[in-house]
Amino acid sequence: MKQTVFTALRILVVLTLLTGLLYPLAVTGLAQLAFPAQANGSVLHEGDKPVGSTLIGQPFGGDKYLWSRPSATAPFAYNAAASTGSNLGPTNPALVDAVKARVATLRKADPDNHAPVPTDLVTTSGSGLDPHISAAAAAFQVARVARARGVPASAVEAAIAGCSQAPMLGMIGPAHVDVLCVNLALDHRTVHL
Amino acid sequence: MSAAAWGESVLFLLLVIGLAWPLGLYMARVYRGESKWADRVLGPLERLIYKLSGVQPQAQMDWRQYAGAVLVFNFLGLLVVYGLQRVQAALPLNPAGLGNVPPEVAWNTAVSFASNTNWQAYGGETTLSHLTQMLALTTQNFVSAATGMAVLVALIRGLSGRLTTELGNFWVDLTRSTLHILLPLSVVLALLLVSQGVVQTLAGAVTVPLLEPTTGADGKSVIAQIIALGPAASQVAIKQLGTNGGGFFNANSAHPLENPTALANLLEVVSIILIPAALCITFGKMVGAQKQGVALLVAMLLIFVPLLVLTIHSENQANPALTALGVDGTMGNWEGKELRFGPTSSAIWAVTTTAASNGSVNAMHDSFMPLGGLGPMWLMQLGEIIFGGVGSGLYGMLVYALIAVFVAGLMVGRTPEYLGKKIEAFEMKMASLVILLPSAAVLIGTAIACSIPAGTQPLGNPGTHGFSEILYAFSSGANNNGSAFGGLTVNGLFYTVAIGICMLIGRYWVIVPVLALAGSLAKKQIVPAGAGTLPTHTPLFIALIAGTIVLVGALTFIPALALGPIVEHLALR
């Protein structure tokens, strides 16, 4: 028994050094060498100033920007230091009330738009940081953004097309649009990874 | 189900089976000490580990010594995880300046990681320092997985040995599982994930300005975003491969920095059941009859695929309560899901992560449609044997194989045999313990939680869905899954202690009977198959074993499920 405890302790120390220290440090070293931009958060820069991350969404509420999905993070939407989903069940009245308010906000911002509201635009994501909206949710907002900016709808559509991703292999994951990418393009900002 | 959903499901299963086959054969060579590749590349390191640890690799253990080594090693690991969390504020690699973890959360997390459950009472980026994540959690991700694999290998040796008490050497099985299997796969997967955007740095966070400033719920203006970073890829890789599942970030694999693209998602979801599937092949190879392993794999798929179809179908349905408000009725259920994955990839992940005892989530299960949540919940309640945890899934499945031959034996009045070993009273007692104890923990735990305020106050949803949250929590804990209906607040005293106890029962009160079973089987002679032997690789036996699992799972849990997801489903229509 004493022998077992002693062996267990020694092998735990050795395996901790190997898997808890050496392994993550080695992967960190290799990652920083091979994929430095990705390993550090895929941060976009304008010149050498950071302007956002391609993988982390931002909240938008002004008429001239494409809006992101609602977010359940606290104390503000898209708090990237504390990811979370709403965890509201499908029959929870709180979910229905929240969606009702979001539908009303969208309708108020664009009263002439009578299309059904794309589901992703009124529901929160799992992380609260989803950088994307569906192709339908982007199309839904084109008229509002074009009007607010005083540009033709085709200009907004072009920005959306430049930030769209088709399903992988034509079948995996729905077509989606990177919201921050579109809004940076609408503002004519030149950014790089 | 749409053509795209079928296509994605088929591609996923083909990838799993195609990769599992060679990996399974390789693992069989590793455990027999016959892999030349492993010996040439990592052999010197393996021998160094033995030397530093004082292990005699040739020494054989009987089942009691093996079980003793497992328990002592796991208990020490638990103490280290607990201790590191309690003093992390004073240790280095804590760029966010996080404080010490409170005792009840630290205990829960320690049990959670030692038992390969990875239930999250902690909050990831808001609770644990980088050092704790690496030294405590990443280490346990490896060694708890390796423990499960070792116990499985001991059981296989019990089945294939004759007239012996020797089950192998736990230290050797532990080391080989870690060094030759988990570590190389993790390095490759981690780097693939980084290429997709999973972060891997020792820095704490990066601050970026918001394009359009916003206002918080507290009325404060917010002009910048603090993006939490860390050594995530190395931990995510092993959390998937080792069926661990504990997230680096609170949102787990729904977080874009843990699971950034559809390709990353596919790699991760395949990794979740790769080793559990491959171990079926390993088993077949080690008992000298490939078809025995294939039979178990097919039996698993027989239960897996229908639940996969049910869950994909459910999540592609719109929530009628939202459609009534003018929301598009064609897009499916999006609450708690990410655009990169959508309802189908989220459903495939949910079924996979609960079939395997992984428990990582790429969408919030609490917000699934009622029947979408039922599939994952029931898969856990079946005992995490449909693929299941690495090692633990297959040893659970083998226990069911024994029960199936026993049931068949009762029907025709013959002594049941499995792989030439007579199955007698002692084996059946151990098999019953393996099935009864976790099930009892789920149902008794749920009953207690429903009847005391400490159990019902932390609920995140009212009504039947609230009951489902409790049932899901105990199903997850007692079967070492680790996923949650996350609306339930589980860092209070009651749930940290209760779920902690369930995790211990589900892990160690299964491991000890399984090793006792291995010891008892090893001592028996292998009887040659005769005319009266029930073959255990035929479609008949596959149906028998799948039927036994479904029957036991249904009888035990349908009454409870009826009170939760089934009532909710009927109420929603």
Side-chain angles (χ1 to χ4, degrees), chain A residues 105-132:
Chain A
T105 308
L106 282 165
R107 294 288 186 212
K108 196 173 147 214
D110 192 8
D112 301 331
N113 187 345
H114 300 294
V117 179
T119 317
D120 59 307
L121 208 49
V122 288
T123 49
T124 62
S125 62
S127 62
L129 305 174
D130 196 340
H132 302 119

Side-chain angles (χ1 to χ4, degrees), chain B residues 382-441:
Chain B
L382 291 179
E384 292 299 9
I385 53 169
I386 308 305
F387 297 103
V390 287
S392 61
L394 189 55
Y395 63 64
M397 191 70 178
L398 285 166
V399 165
Y400 263 103
L402 299 189
I403 292 175
V405 291
F406 178 73
V407 170
L410 286 180
M411 286 194 263
V412 295
R414 282 186 166 277
T415 311
E417 293 163 16
Y418 187 65
L419 304 178
K421 299 275 186 178
K422 281 200 166 28
I423 307 305
E424 294 166 296
F426 180 77
E427 286 76 33
M428 288 319 295
K429 281 182 200 155
M430 293 301 116
S432 307
L433 283 180
V434 167
I435 290 166
L436 287 178
L437 289 174
S439 301

